[in-house]
Amino acid sequence: MDIGALGIYVCLFIGLYFEVFLLISFFEKRPEKKSANLPSHYPSVAILVPCWNKGATLIPTVESLLSMDYPKDKLKVVIIDDGSTDNTFEAAQTFAGHPQVDIFQKQNEGSKYSALNFGLAHSHSDLVGCLDADSFVAKDALLEMVKAFEDETVMAAAPSMKVNHPKNVLELMQSVEYTFGIFYKKMFDNLAAISVLPGPFSIYRRSLFEKIGGFRKAHHTEDMEMAFRMHANGLKLVNVHTAIVYTNVPKTVPALVRQRTRWSRGYLENSRDYSYMYFNPAYGNFGMLVLPFGLIAFLGGLYSAGYALWHIVSYIVTRFTDMWLTHIPPHLPTPSWQWFYINTNMLTFLIIATLCMTLTAVVLGQRIAKTRLSTLSFISYFALFGFVAPLWLARAAWDTVLSRERGWLV
Amino acid sequence: MAWQKYSLAFIITAAIFGTAFYIAQRIDAQRIADIRATEENISIDILSSETQFDLLGSLDCSTIAENPVLSDQLNDLASRLSVAEQNLGSTNKEVIQLKQQYSLLEIKDYLLLQQVSQKCKKVKPVFVLYFYSNAGDCPDCSRTGEELSYLRGEYPGLRVYSFDYNLDLSALRTLVALQKLNGPLPAFVINNRPPVYGFKTIEELQALIPELKTLASSTAATSTSGF
């Protein structure tokens, strides 16, 4: 076995270990079913909607917030136009004079955290939420989230995210990915190791910010840094799988790569800032499992993609060189379908096992979030993800090595 | 910290790895058994042909000439051995043993063909004894293997006997000595003419085998093999 293949086996072992660990967690503590119980009380809630050039989606986003099942006098929507250059502010004016909506305009400071802190300073409520201006909440999402805060120790809660009306293959691919995310975020909750409080509809107890401060720039991933900082301070954050939020996702490969590069880069940079938590039992499963695995998954994904690319390129170069040297006319090899010629080495079975585990996680994610993915979504995911994910992994690694600043808006 | 859960996950993952290893081993063992069975069948076929030849002599050359079918079986066997060598490695004892047996079958088929062609004048075989090495000292050998596979696909009547030059087999050493091979690999002996050494393009190979023109051409190429 060559040393390159040995690395692949190591990556597969770690990947399988992680998936097995999450499955054990699932069977240990299955997610509770949604109950019809209402909250014992209704705390006041302000939902911050920071937006930069979201004129096209701001109105339906705010309308979805205003139509939620929640006492009107307890819910406030705070729109923060973060220096948009399109018609965002005009779109926001649709809600001018609405008793539940406050509208602000500020200069863009190059990252979302400043808009969130601006909103924090201009709102007064027991709970503070945020919602990206291209996401839409289910009617009962806030009720479900508020129930989680009946536990006085809970300081923040993250929802289940689904892709909003996926149509093209890239969106369908992401719909599977998000469903997989629903599963593993719930399992991270079981392990008290949630690693991110996403922009779409995470809710915070206001006293949290008094304890540990407001949002930080954090390499344009303030939602991730906040989760890291909460773990560093021993604060409790949970996942509310029954609170559903629908989000628009990138429709093109360049847009997706830009978004994921920012996320991946944020993970690497925040990991460096909080490196003292790695393999530190004081931070529980977050320090011992989730943080190290995230980094290993990044490096392993990059390594596996590089290994596969090297082999594909080597094969193509060899074929062309052979054809050029031998003068054999171009011809397609005749594939044989006899069992004897099917590749059945150990690696094949391990890849099948990993794919089965992933599929199981996606199916469980479907059950948790009461959603159903189409066959085309699964085909898109298994056919595309392996090709597009290495693009952002490589770009994030490249940017980190060169300390290149790409900004939030690109 | 739930150390028990960490340990249990490790044990289950290791068990999955163990199961994958076991299944792959079982399938490889099945492959070896399959190759061995094929070699035994070919061995019986060769023995049958030799017996048939001894019984009929040159009295019924048409029957003999119409049934030189071992070429296809040997080609198929070569492809299977190539797969087994890729999966298990060229140093695997069972692979080496199977290659030795395969080489012996090739030599026997070659000798039978010589006998038939001497007695039956109608039978004019076109054959190549091809000597290669996959020990890393012959970068052109895999390309030459591709060329011969291509020619075999183009001319189904062409018989190619491939021999791993480094195989530890006394019969092969005798064949090498008889053919007076002393140059670099790859080496070819075409229709018992003096050996030719070194890499050749497909046109050069075709020029070295003018008898190809007498063979029926096929447009369907067959799969390639390192043997």
Side-chain angles (χ1 to χ4, degrees), chain A residues 38-47 70 125-130 141-159 194 197 201-209 230 235-240 242-243:
Chain A
L38 291 171
S40 56
H41 74 287
Y42 293 88
S44 60
V45 182
I47 306 293
Y70 204 76
S125 54
D126 301 325
L127 303 179
V128 185
C130 52
L142 187 53
L143 282 178
E144 293 298 315
M145 291 295 259
V146 162
K147 281 190 233 173
F149 285 90
E150 289 181 350
D151 175 351
E152 290 294 325
T153 61
V154 170
M155 299 304 282
I194 292 172
L197 289 156
F201 214 58
S202 287
I203 307 281
Y204 305 85
R205 203 182 285 282
R206 184 173 286 274
S207 57
L208 168 74
F209 303 107
M230 287 182 70
L235 298 169
K236 188 173 180 181
L237 55 164
V238 296
N239 171 261
V240 182
T242 49

Side-chain angles (χ1 to χ4, degrees), chain B residues 52-72:
Chain B
Q52 188 189 18
F53 185 76
D54 288 344
L55 283 172
L56 296 174
S58 58
L59 293 175
D60 196 356
C61 281
S62 60
T63 309
I64 295 164
E66 283 167 8
N67 294 295
V69 291
L70 288 179
S71 176
D72 286 345

Side-chain angles (χ1 to χ4, degrees), chain A residues 104-122:
Chain A
F104 297 96
Q105 199 173 22
K106 67 177 276 293
Q107 277 205 327
N108 188 281
E109 293 170 56
S111 200
K112 194 169 100 176
Y113 82 102
S114 64
L116 291 170
N117 286 337
F118 182 94
L120 277 177
H122 290 82

Side-chain angles (χ1 to χ4, degrees), chain A residues 24-39:
Chain A
I24 293 171
S25 303
F26 175 83
F27 290 112
E28 257 184 359
K29 185 183 171 190
R30 292 176 187 238
E32 289 170 15
K33 288 186 176 172
K34 194 175 184 173
S35 81
N37 297 341
L38 291 171

Side-chain angles (χ1 to χ4, degrees), chain A residues 123-352:
Chain A
S123 60
H124 311 278
S125 54
D126 301 325
L127 303 179
V128 185
C130 52
L131 184 68
D132 290 342
D134 55 0
S135 303
F136 317 94
V137 287
K139 281 180 81 71
D140 62 351
L142 187 53
L143 282 178
E144 293 298 315
M145 291 295 259
V146 162
K147 281 190 233 173
F149 285 90
E150 289 181 350
D151 175 351
E152 290 294 325
T153 61
V154 170
M155 299 304 282
S160 285
M161 286 165 64
K162 295 184 186 180
V163 174
N164 185 42
H165 297 306
K167 289 186 185 73
N168 72 26
V169 287
L170 211 56
E171 292 172 295
L172 290 168
M173 179 199 87
Q174 290 173 84
S175 68
V176 176
E177 202 190 354
Y178 274 66
T179 309
F180 180 64
I182 288 169
F183 169 75
Y184 80 72
K185 274 176 190 153
K186 193 65 208 170
M187 293 310 104
F188 283 7
D189 184 18
N190 281 0
L191 301 167
I194 292 172
S195 59
V196 64
L197 289 156
F201 214 58
S202 287
I203 307 281
Y204 305 85
R205 203 182 285 282
R206 184 173 286 274
S207 57
L208 168 74
F209 303 107
E210 288 154 15
K211 280 186 180 165
I212 63 171
F215 291 97
R216 293 175 185 169
K217 186 175 179 183
H219 320 284
H220 308 293
T221 44
E222 70 295 323
D223 48 1
M224 197 182 286
E225 192 276 337
M226 182 55 83
F228 280 37
R229 199 168 1 136
M230 287 182 70
H231 284 293
N233 287 278
L235 298 169
K236 188 173 180 181
L237 55 164
V238 296
N239 171 261
V240 182
H241 62 278
T242 49
I244 307 294
V245 56
Y246 302 88
T247 189
N248 286 344
V249 293
K251 290 178 168 56
T252 63
V253 172
L256 179 67
V257 170
R258 278 197 299 273
Q259 181 198 56
R260 299 309 175 85
T261 300
R262 182 167 61 81
W263 293 1
S264 302
R265 175 93 188 270
Y267 190 87
L268 293 178
E269 300 278 16
N270 284 312
S271 289
R272 190 171 56 191
D273 295 345
Y274 288 88
S275 55
Y276 59 90
M277 296 169 80
Y278 271 78
F279 296 112
N280 189 336
Y283 301 102
N285 291 316
F286 185 72
M288 291 300 290
L289 182 80
V290 172
L291 267 185
F293 179 78
L295 191 60
I296 291 168
F298 181 90
L299 297 173
L302 209 54
Y303 176 82
S304 304
Y307 183 79
L309 188 68
W310 167 256
H311 275 265
I312 291 167
V313 170
S314 297
Y315 175 78
I316 292 170
V317 168
T318 304
R319 296 301 298 177
F320 275 95
T321 309
D322 286 355
M323 213 182 290
W324 181 64
L325 288 173
T326 60
H327 301 176
I328 294 176
H331 65 285
L332 289 173
T334 313
S336 176
W337 302 109
Q338 292 179 50
W339 76 269
F340 195 96
Y341 296 102
I342 296 169
N343 189 346
T344 53
N345 62 18
M346 186 179 167
L347 192 61
T348 306
F349 292 110
L350 289 176
I351 290 170
I352 290 170

Side-chain angles (χ1 to χ4, degrees), chain B residues 37-51:
Chain B
T38 308
E39 285 188 340
E40 278 169 16
N41 284 339
I42 291 174
S43 180
I44 290 167
D45 286 348
I46 287 179
L47 190 61
S48 170
S49 295
E50 283 174 338
T51 310

Side-chain angles (χ1 to χ4, degrees), chain A residues 340-341, chain B residues 31-32 34-43 70-84 98-99 101-103 105-106 152 225 227:
Chain A
F340 195 96
Y341 296 102
Chain B
R31 275 204 180 93
I32 294 290
D34 189 82
I35 292 172
R36 207 177 289 286
T38 308
E39 285 188 340
E40 278 169 16
N41 284 339
I42 291 174
S43 180
L70 288 179
S71 176
D72 286 345
Q73 291 179 51
L74 279 170
N75 290 346
D76 184 48
L77 181 61
S79 302
R80 286 166 186 250
L81 260 173
S82 182
V83 171
L98 290 171
K99 278 176 76 173
Q101 202 172 342
Y102 166 73
S103 297
L105 291 173
E106 283 191 307
R152 211 160 50 193
S225 144
F227 288 86

